[in-house]
Amino acid sequence: MKQSLDMRQGQSLVMTPQLQQAIKLLQLSNQELTEFVEAEIERNPLLNKGEEDSSGDSERAQSDNREQLSLDESSGLGAARDQLDAPGEDVYEPGTGSDTATPAGSSGPSAKADWSGVGGGGSSEDFDYTANLSSDVSLHEHLHTQLNLAPLSAADRLIASRLIDETDDTGYLRADIEEVAVALGADTANVEAVLSVCQGFDPTGVMARSIPECLGLQLKELGRYDPAMEAMVQNLQLVAKHDLKGLADICGVDKEDLLDMMSELRQLSPKPGSSFASDASVAVTPDVFVRELPNGMFAVELNSENLPRVLMDKAYYAEVTALPMREKEKEFISECAASATWLIKSLDQRARTILKVASEIVRQQDAFFAHGVAHLRPLNLKQVADAIEMHESTVSRVTTNKYMSTPRGLFELKYFFSAAIPATGGGEAHSAEAVRHRIKTLIDNETPDNVLSDDQIVEILTGYGVDIARRTVAKYRESLNIPSSVQRRRILRASA
């Protein structure tokens, strides 16, 4: 054992604070990114929020002194849009993932989205603004308003207020009555009596402690809570299984009355508080647009309206640096300039990375856009990362909370990543999502005399070249909330 000095040469990745922040920017959603940029603008005096100018005069007048984030019409996005029209870049022809090219319109009527009403063009007289506003009143506020009108004493109002606060957004009371009584120093019977008054509030069924109690409250108001209906409500597990014989025996009614009772039960709301939102709803805005071109190809472009515009005021920077300053002030201004430059470049790189990943996803899943979900190919992060020469973790961050607006609807980028199901005979693998879709289609076409078991579905899929096990079929069926073949047979025969 002795001490010695050795020299070694090696490579390592040093995660600087700026690099860590750049990585963080990738996984931020649009709203989170906007909040982050606004915080940076407040902190950094050299940053300004870029504003739209329809004439463009203001931007041209300041172009010599300001460096604008290259994501608007005059900068990087314009270059990116130019690339969209160049074949072989971000414009893809359906079928290019296979050996043959297929026109997009060959699969039937076009599923292209209608954006003609967006941004104007429609008649303002036909638009009801108030009808498109969501209620700002929460369920708790609605219940407290009714409490103010209830004939209760001051002590009982305090109990009722506590019970309302213990009610969740769906309308169910999640607190234990005895615990509330102990916490407030009241009798359990008194708390129960106050709860009975609160359960008479609107919406009907609110502040119930279970689904049977919630449905019972609604049936009592309708005058339909007779012994037979009470027995059905207390045996909802048989209703879920569609066990008509078992329900008929418990309720003491014939099949015709039982079906009428089940029809009445379906008219009730198991979540009476669902019409009241605790928080204002946040609309999902797409990060990327995919549009179908007249020649059957697809173009991918960023949603420029959704990206924050940031300006570095170089004129102000030059004015400040020309003034006499102490050393700390010089360091502060230098740090602000470096931070502003870094933010602009990072936002530009983030946008380009999103566009690059989204373009590769469209290229890989072109059959889906042309023909639908049944043609969704198996795809994982590694395939996209290898194709665009990036790391898997980068692709994972880019696809988090990012959405793509397509002619077939709005999708999260992660939707297009699906596990592969092997094909029989060594053919091309099938997407798990496409297999799920095929299973659902087979079950939707069932008749009372031809209900498919999981084994029969396996045989049919094998005929289509899908190598799948019975337990996998059962797992996919359950993920689609489809009951077993026995339960489906009961439902079909009852509705026949």
Side-chain angles (χ1 to χ4, degrees):
M1 299 289 293
K2 65 176 182 178
Q3 293 181 343
S4 62
L5 293 176
D6 294 330
M7 293 184 62
R8 296 181 182 178
Q9 185 177 8
Q11 291 182 337
S12 63
L13 177 62
V14 179
M15 297 287 287
T16 64
Q18 287 190 342
L19 179 58
Q20 294 176 10
Q21 197 70 269
I23 293 174
K24 181 183 177 181
L25 286 180
L26 285 176
Q27 61 189 19
L28 294 181
S29 64
N30 291 326
Q31 183 178 3
E32 293 170 338
L33 181 65
T34 300
E35 294 173 355
F36 174 82
V37 170
E38 289 178 352
E40 286 294 311
I41 292 175
E42 292 180 2
R43 187 187 65 84
N44 193 332
L46 299 181
L47 285 174
N48 288 326
K49 190 174 183 179
E51 301 293 342
E52 287 283 351
D53 189 346
S54 58
S55 64
D57 294 337
S58 176
E59 181 177 339
R60 284 192 296 271
Q62 300 177 9
S63 61
D64 294 335
N65 297 326
R66 291 183 174 181
E67 180 182 349
Q68 183 165 0
L69 171 64
S70 57
L71 298 179
D72 61 358
E73 294 292 337
S74 65
S75 179
L77 183 58
R81 285 180 172 171
D82 293 339
Q83 294 176 359
L84 296 179
D85 299 328
E89 278 293 331
D90 294 328
V91 181
Y92 303 106
E93 182 177 352
T96 54
S98 58
D99 294 336
T100 58
T102 307
S106 62
S107 59
S110 173
K112 184 180 296 184
D114 182 12
W115 299 336
S116 58
V118 178
S123 174
S124 60
E125 297 179 356
D126 298 332
F127 180 75
D128 186 2
Y129 179 77
T130 58
N132 289 274
L133 290 176
S134 60
S135 174
D136 291 333
V137 179
S138 67
L139 176 62
H140 289 167
E141 292 172 343
H142 183 64
L143 294 176
H144 278 292
T145 300
Q146 297 175 79
L147 175 60
N148 295 332
L149 303 176
L152 294 174
S153 64
D156 289 342
R157 286 180 185 276
L158 180 62
I159 296 174
S161 179
R162 173 64 179 268
L163 294 176
I164 291 174
D165 292 338
E166 295 288 351
T167 303
D168 65 15
D169 293 336
T170 60
Y172 284 89
L173 179 64
R174 298 304 182 186
D176 183 79
I177 295 298
E178 294 182 357
E179 293 179 359
V180 173
V182 171
L184 298 179
D187 295 333
T188 304
N190 189 18
V191 177
E192 288 279 3
V194 173
L195 176 60
S196 179
V197 174
C198 293
Q199 287 179 342
F201 291 170
D202 177 75
T204 307
V206 73
M207 299 182 72
R209 289 159 287 185
S210 64
I211 293 179
E213 185 179 21
C214 176
L215 300 179
L217 291 170
Q218 297 177 57
L219 289 168
K220 288 177 182 177
E221 181 172 323
L222 296 173
R224 288 291 295 118
Y225 200 60
D226 52 34
M229 187 64 82
E230 181 180 5
M232 174 177 284
V233 170
Q234 297 301 325
N235 292 274
L236 292 177
Q237 71 278 6
L238 297 180
V239 177
K241 294 180 180 179
H242 215 81
D243 188 355
L244 300 183
K245 185 178 183 304
L247 283 172
D249 294 338
I250 293 175
C251 298
V253 296
D254 56 22
K255 180 180 178 181
E256 183 177 355
D257 289 338
L258 187 67
L259 292 177
D260 290 338
M261 292 167 60
M262 294 179 67
S263 178
E264 292 180 23
L265 202 63
R266 294 190 189 98
Q267 304 303 316
L268 306 179
S269 173
K271 295 182 179 180
S274 59
S275 60
F276 297 87
S278 57
D279 297 315
S281 300
V282 179
V284 174
T285 54
D287 298 84
V288 178
F289 288 118
V290 177
R291 54 190 175 88
E292 184 180 345
L293 302 178
N295 60 358
M297 302 169 73
F298 294 100
V300 183
E301 61 181 334
L302 288 169
N303 182 5
S304 59
E305 299 299 326
N306 211 29
L307 297 170
R309 291 171 172 81
V310 183
L311 305 174
M312 177 179 173
D313 197 334
K314 289 188 174 181
Y316 179 66
Y317 175 66
E319 179 182 346
V320 171
T321 53
L323 298 174
M325 293 184 293
R326 292 189 292 268
E327 190 63 30
K328 289 185 178 181
E329 294 172 344
K330 290 181 180 180
E331 291 179 2
F332 174 74
I333 292 297
S334 297
E335 289 176 0
C336 288
S339 178
T341 303
W342 164 83
L343 179 61
I344 292 173
K345 291 181 179 179
S346 296
L347 290 174
D348 181 51
Q349 183 62 37
R350 175 185 181 273
R352 293 179 183 276
T353 304
I354 292 175
L355 180 62
K356 199 171 185 179
V357 172
S359 300
E360 180 61 23
I361 290 175
V362 173
R363 191 186 72 82
Q364 296 275 2
Q365 299 291 5
D366 56 353
F368 162 78
F369 295 102
H371 307 296
V373 70
H375 297 269
L376 194 66
R377 297 191 181 100
L379 184 65
N380 55 43
L381 295 173
K382 188 176 186 304
Q383 289 175 267
V384 174
D386 291 344
I388 63 178
E389 298 181 350
M390 289 185 179
H391 196 272
E392 288 181 54
S393 61
T394 302
V395 177
S396 177
R397 291 185 179 95
V398 168
T399 54
T400 300
N401 296 323
K402 308 299 187 305
Y403 293 86
M404 176 187 292
S405 177
T406 76
R408 295 192 177 275
L410 184 68
F411 300 95
E412 188 177 7
L413 294 186
K414 286 190 180 295
Y415 173 85
F416 297 98
F417 295 95
S418 176
I421 303 297
T424 58
E428 184 179 355
H430 302 270
S431 165
E433 193 65 33
V435 173
R436 279 195 194 91
H437 178 74
R438 184 161 288 179
I439 291 173
K440 186 178 185 303
T441 302
L442 291 173
I443 293 176
D444 288 343
N445 294 328
E446 289 178 337
T447 62
D449 298 326
N450 184 26
V451 177
L452 301 174
S453 65
D454 290 344
D455 289 323
Q456 290 174 314
I457 293 176
V458 169
E459 294 178 3
I460 295 174
L461 293 177
T462 303
Y464 287 127
V466 181
D467 185 10
I468 191 171
R470 187 197 65 80
R471 63 180 179 276
T472 306
V473 170
K475 182 180 71 173
Y476 287 174
R477 175 177 54 76
E478 292 171 358
S479 69
L480 294 168
N481 295 321
I482 298 175
S484 65
S485 58
V486 176
Q487 295 175 353
R488 298 201 307 273
R489 187 177 289 107
R490 288 176 183 170
I491 295 173
L492 290 173
R493 288 179 178 176
S495 60

